[in-house]
Each structure stands twice: as C-alpha cells, then as structure tokens.
Amino acid sequence: MLEIILEEPSAEVLIQKLAPTIAPAAQAGSDFATRVFQGKDDLLRKLPQRLAGYGSWAASSDIRFLILVDRDDDDCSSLKSRLVELVKEARGLEYLAGTGVASGGHVKVTVACEEIEAWMIGDPDALRAAYPKLPKAFEKRSAYRDPDAIKGGTWERLERLLQDHGYFPGGLRKMELARTVGPLMTPGANKSPSFHHFCQAFRTLI
C-alpha cells in the first residue's frame, strides 16, 4: 500500500483522478490512499511527528510513502533537501533515491514547481478539452511555454487565462478545476518536469 501525503484537498482530487492513467492497475483504497493536511505550513509543522509514527509500523505493514508539496516561493532543492532530512531522521523509515525496488518503510519526496496547477498548464490539450474557449495554441506563448518556470503564482496565471476566456468569473475553484481536468490529462505528453518526477515516484512506490 502506498500512502500519498498532500498539502491540500485539490491535490488529493487531482491525484485520485490521475492515478488510473499514471499506473493503470492502481486502485484507490486498495493500492494507495491519501493523507491531506491543511496547507503546506500545516504539513511541514506536523510531518516530523507523523513520520515518527509511521516509522514504528510501516516496514512490517509494507506501507510506502510519497510526499508531495508545492514549491511556492521556496528554493526547490532546499525544500526537497529539508523534507529528505526529515525522512532520514525518522527511525524505521528510509528515503528511496532513484527507481530502486520499493518495500515497506520506503519514502520518496516530490515537489510541484511552482504549484500543482503547473501540471495542468503542462497539458494544454486537457485544459482545452475541459474549457473549449481557450485559445488553440496558448501554450506557445512565452508565459506558458515552461509551466514549471512560471513565476508569481501558477494558479493565479491559470485563473487569469481561464477568466480571460469566460470561465470562473468569480474566482478559480481549485477543487472543480482538478475534478474536471484531471481525468482528461495524458501523463506522457505533459510539459511539466516536476509532474514527470511525481509520476516516476508514484510508479516506483505503488
């Protein structure tokens, strides 16, 4: 069993919708489950205690863990290193680098750059299928060409794009967005490197 540790509910919705396309045999509830915190600060604050608890039983129960956080304004390498150190400090858990064979107690860490909405921008065909009024080639504009390099708020950029074409006039509803776009995404075609890192980690641990 894989437990995915997430910072917010919209990430949970997106992962649950995407899982069947990332690893077709994976079933929510039997092969993986999600643990959702109330934002990134809440996750970072509670994670050491949570990992200590996991370490007491994960290996014997064959539970693996995948941590996903948004980079936001943090340095990606520093944030990942901080999380990896927390894993290494937890007795009974082991950080799994690369694509080695996973077993109980193994943990991988992934960071969405800058936010998980970059993964949706990285699949423009899925966005257009969900919201047909979006321009045919918006992804060729410099502002969207590299979804992981968008600065100043990825979800705000996506909100503006959608609002400019008649969607979400009252503000972006992240849960609805994830629920709508997630099933339409094609992992292999995504332009977000951080998304591909997550997919690889998911497949290694599942």
Side-chain angles (χ1 to χ4, degrees):
M1 169 72 84
L2 168 63
E3 180 161 315
I4 307 172
I5 300 169
L6 303 164
E7 66 178 69
E8 62 179 7
S10 62
E12 177 183 39
V13 172
L14 185 64
I15 298 310
Q16 288 175 341
K17 295 296 183 181
L18 274 170
T21 59
I22 297 173
Q27 297 293 321
S30 57
D31 297 310
F32 73 93
T34 52
R35 174 80 60 180
V36 184
F37 288 79
Q38 300 304 309
K40 182 178 176 179
D41 290 343
D42 183 55
L43 186 154
L44 294 175
R45 183 174 64 255
K46 295 178 179 177
L47 190 59
Q49 183 177 2
R50 178 74 64 179
L51 293 175
Y54 289 153
S56 66
W57 52 262
S60 60
S61 301
D62 194 27
I63 308 294
R64 289 88 62 200
F65 302 93
L66 176 54
I67 302 168
L68 170 65
V69 297
D70 287 349
R71 186 194 72 201
D72 297 316
D73 295 327
D74 291 316
D75 176 78
C76 187
S77 296
S78 297
L79 177 60
K80 184 171 182 178
S81 295
R82 176 183 175 187
L83 291 166
V84 169
E85 285 305 310
L86 291 177
V87 172
K88 290 179 177 180
E89 290 169 3
R91 183 175 299 177
L93 299 180
E94 182 180 353
Y95 174 68
L96 180 63
T99 57
V101 177
S103 59
H106 275 144
V107 185
K108 292 188 78 66
V109 174
T110 56
V111 179
C113 299
E114 151 181 318
E115 297 164 326
I116 201 169
E117 285 76 19
W119 296 0
M120 289 180 263
I121 293 174
D123 194 332
D125 289 336
L127 279 174
R128 275 188 292 268
Y131 305 105
K133 290 187 286 185
L134 290 178
K136 185 175 182 180
F138 76 84
E139 67 273 19
K140 294 182 180 179
R141 301 176 193 168
S142 59
Y144 301 100
R145 202 170 293 142
D146 183 353
D148 282 11
I150 293 173
K151 304 293 184 185
T154 310
W155 77 263
E156 291 94 340
R157 180 69 61 82
L158 182 53
E159 179 184 60
R160 287 196 298 272
L161 175 68
L162 290 164
Q163 288 181 334
D164 286 347
H165 295 88
Y167 301 104
F168 298 104
L172 187 64
R173 297 183 295 277
K174 289 187 175 185
M175 297 278 283
E176 178 184 330
L177 180 75
R179 192 175 294 114
T180 303
V181 178
L184 303 172
M185 292 173 66
T186 304
N190 204 288
K191 296 180 175 66
S192 165
S194 67
F195 176 69
H196 289 290
H197 289 313
F198 174 83
C199 291
Q200 184 181 64
F202 184 92
R203 295 183 187 114
T204 297
L205 292 169
I206 195 68

